[in-house]
Amino acid sequence: MSRITLAIHGGAGTILKSTMSPSIELSYREGLQAALDNGYNILAKGGSSIEAVKSAVMVLEDNELFNAGKGSVFTNEGAHEMDASIMEGNSLKAGAVGIVKYVRNPIELALHVMLHTEHVFLGGEGALQFAQQQGLAIENNDYFFSQFRFDQWQNVKNSETFQLDHSPFSTKEKKIGTVGAVACDQFGNLAAATSTGGMTNKKFGRMGDTSVIGSGTYANNATCAISCTGHGELFLRAVAAYDVSALMEYKGYSLNEAMEEVVNKKLVFMEGEGGMIGVDAKGNASMIFNSEGMYRGCRNSEGTNEVQIYR
């Protein structure tokens, strides 16, 4: 039996202890630990990696501190358009959704795409119709409203610019808001899941890497499971998640070596800021980022249980 492992992230960027109040830092740590415990408990009871990553991400989607689900940022039109994807490493099956409105938990919808359709990727109104058909929780706009996100939008809504997720406590602090989870269950099966509200003031149905299998999310039992958080356009161009797997498969890199190559060499060369979490079929985990910080956590059956924010 494999070492069971779960790793999660809640976004990356310029996250500095000097600009974080103790109470807000505690709230982030508690939110991360709740998601970590939720997903890990599923693994500890013999549950599958796919169920563990889905459940961990749903906890983060339900927490308005994180830019996914309830905490999603505002688009240029004052709406919330969410992206999510999920993949399991045994069969290489995957599901993804983009530009989704009103769905409480986009990651749950992505899993339903994987399990209950012959498709991989649904978007927009069609994805919403499928969610309703599947009986998933649908919310009105009030559910997704938070003053913090609204104020972010007000700062840029009449401009031609967009903003990566950032903190209300300092205009110098920039956070790249995506949530995700990767897991290895007792049978060595891997899974990855990622969810986001995207960029504040985004236009024209913009989607980043989160909903794109191979860029923001990837899982293959032969190599690794990866969930990314960063400037989506650069992670898309780098095909970042799959690139880690390819380095492991074709060059024999370890998980950590492959992630270092992609995050701290390839993406840095492309000026792509962010990070990723990964796990392999032996239960080894790695959490690597090239920004000042990344909300992250890891728990395994050998006693590791940690939540971290700063570099």
Side-chain angles (χ1 to χ4, degrees), residues 123-275:
E125 287 298 319
L128 176 58
Q129 290 171 16
F130 178 65
Q132 293 168 326
Q133 181 187 98
Q134 292 292 301
L136 301 185
I138 306 298
E139 305 287 351
N140 60 31
N141 276 327
D142 291 343
Y143 171 80
F144 299 97
F145 179 89
S146 71
Q147 193 64 49
F148 157 38
R149 300 296 185 196
F150 183 77
D151 291 344
Q152 286 182 345
W153 176 47
Q154 295 303 298
N155 288 333
V156 293
K157 75 172 187 175
N158 294 319
S159 71
E160 292 300 313
T161 63
F162 60 83
Q163 287 185 350
L164 298 172
D165 185 24
H166 67 276
S167 169
F169 311 107
S170 170
T171 56
K172 296 179 181 179
E173 182 180 348
K174 180 178 65 179
K175 294 188 300 183
I176 302 167
T178 303
V179 306
V182 294
C184 175
D185 63 28
Q186 62 181 324
F187 304 109
N189 290 322
L190 305 180
T194 315
S195 181
T196 189
M199 294 177 168
T200 298
N201 206 43
K202 61 184 180 179
K203 299 180 180 181
F204 312 122
R206 178 266 180 190
M207 290 184 286
D209 64 309
T210 293
S211 58
V212 179
I213 299 300
S215 288
T217 304
Y218 192 73
N220 184 336
N221 279 8
T223 53
C224 59
I226 300 290
S227 175
C228 300
T229 173
H231 191 160
E233 279 67 16
L234 281 302
F235 279 68
L236 276 166
R237 287 159 52 190
V239 197
Y242 176 71
D243 206 31
V244 174
S245 176
L247 287 168
M248 295 177 70
E249 181 175 3
Y250 301 125
K251 283 200 167 185
Y253 282 29
S254 70
L255 172 69
N256 196 72
E257 288 171 340
M259 289 175 62
E260 284 280 358
E261 181 74 21
V262 174
V263 174
N264 287 323
K265 292 183 181 180
K266 184 176 185 177
L267 283 168
V268 168
F269 177 78
M270 298 173 67
E271 298 185 350
E273 183 183 357

